[in-house]
Amino acid sequence: MSISAHIGRVLPPVVTGADAMCSLILEYGIIPFFENPIPGYSVEEHTPPEHWFTDESLGPWDWKIHCVQSGDIAYGKFLWGGKAAFATVDVYRELMNWRRAQPKYRPSPEQRKVLDFLSENGSVAIPDVRRLLGVKKSAADAVVARLMQQTRLVTGDIRRVYRGADLHYSGWQRSSFCTPEALFEDLDFPFPGFVPRRMQSDLSPEESLAFVKDTVRTRAGDIPEGLLDKMLQ
């Protein structure tokens, strides 16, 4: 039997603007940006085609800026082995509690240099990583993506880039990155949508992983355990 036969396609609500996109993320708790092996479980699949990266609309690619700048949504490459995703503070903290306990997610000496830079400067961008490590853009992108997968880095801000004589915006953006702790430090709890749990230090990594899996299943249906592991590991 195919994977899709095990999983219900849970498609409403519809994303037609920045506020609706933020609401979707807050409702789901954690969700990939793009279509993936779990049918119906992505921002892309909740977005009508006429709003998805057309000549007339930049759609979620631009709307994500509003979600990131809201300050209570984490955005980065932390699902499916390094694919873009969004998570609320409470769910992301649980993912972080589990990921950081796993030996395979420990930073390398090279990645440590980026984290040391962050501790001194508060944020880091790709040009900073290139200068710091003496690498090309593709290698700098890979280092940042790996730190995101380790839950040690998230997108802190995104700025639109306006080009040409008419300062036209065609979707080109510049991102800066920070630690999750820095992004979430100013939030007061409880905030709307946050369900209080025990302090993170009281939760085992296994309990946190179970919480994240339960959160996904609440929205995506009866997902085979192996597929969930693939998404989260």
Side-chain angles (χ1 to χ4, degrees):
M1 185 178 292
S2 68
I3 287 174
S4 60
H6 291 271
I7 307 168
R9 292 182 62 87
V10 187
L11 288 179
V14 175
V15 173
T16 56
D19 288 339
M21 182 171 166
C22 291
S23 295
L24 175 76
I25 296 162
L26 293 173
E27 181 177 339
Y28 273 52
I30 186 168
I31 186 169
F33 197 167
F34 302 105
E35 187 175 357
N36 60 82
I38 300 177
Y41 190 61
S42 69
V43 172
E44 179 179 4
E45 290 163 284
H46 282 83
T47 306
E50 62 269 22
H51 291 288
W52 185 256
F53 302 157
T54 67
D55 292 338
E56 292 77 30
S57 172
L58 294 170
W61 181 253
D62 186 63
W63 301 337
K64 74 178 187 289
I65 297 175
H66 177 70
C67 299
V68 168
Q69 292 178 346
S70 72
D72 56 1
I73 289 174
Y75 170 64
K77 296 180 177 180
F78 53 80
L79 292 182
W80 296 109
K83 302 296 184 183
F86 302 87
T88 56
V89 177
D90 51 327
V91 180
Y92 187 88
R93 281 179 168 166
E94 303 280 358
L95 182 68
M96 185 170 69
N97 190 42
W98 177 75
R99 284 262 176 92
R100 292 192 184 183
Q102 310 308 309
K104 70 177 183 177
Y105 293 121
R106 291 173 185 159
S108 67
E110 182 182 54
Q111 293 158 1
R112 276 284 172 202
K113 290 182 181 180
V114 178
L115 296 176
D116 290 343
F117 180 93
L118 266 174
S119 67
E120 295 177 7
N121 297 277
S123 66
V124 66
I126 292 299
D128 300 320
V129 178
R130 293 187 63 184
R131 286 191 296 268
L132 184 66
L133 303 180
V135 297
K136 294 182 179 180
K137 183 180 182 302
S138 59
D141 287 340
V143 169
V144 168
R146 185 59 184 163
L147 286 168
M148 286 182 167
Q149 186 70 359
Q150 295 171 7
T151 64
R152 299 180 193 277
L153 213 63
V154 291
T155 302
D157 196 15
I158 305 173
R159 298 292 178 181
R160 297 176 180 90
V161 176
Y162 298 89
R163 292 177 158 179
D166 61 347
L167 295 179
H168 179 66
Y169 173 58
S170 59
W172 188 262
Q173 301 164 355
R174 288 197 183 101
S175 298
S176 59
F177 311 95
C178 65
T179 63
E181 292 88 342
L183 180 64
F184 300 144
E185 66 181 355
D186 294 330
L187 287 180
D188 294 324
F189 292 96
F191 64 89
F194 178 71
V195 179
R197 276 163 57 81
R198 289 172 291 164
M199 294 298 292
Q200 185 179 335
S201 59
D202 295 332
L203 291 165
S204 71
E206 291 72 26
E207 286 176 303
S208 287
L209 178 61
F211 176 86
V212 177
K213 287 183 174 182
D214 288 345
T215 300
V216 175
R217 285 194 173 105
T218 297
R219 292 297 174 191
D222 185 17
I223 303 169
E225 191 73 11
L227 188 61
L228 256 183
D229 288 337
K230 261 190 167 182
M231 183 177 99
L232 298 175
Q233 298 186 41

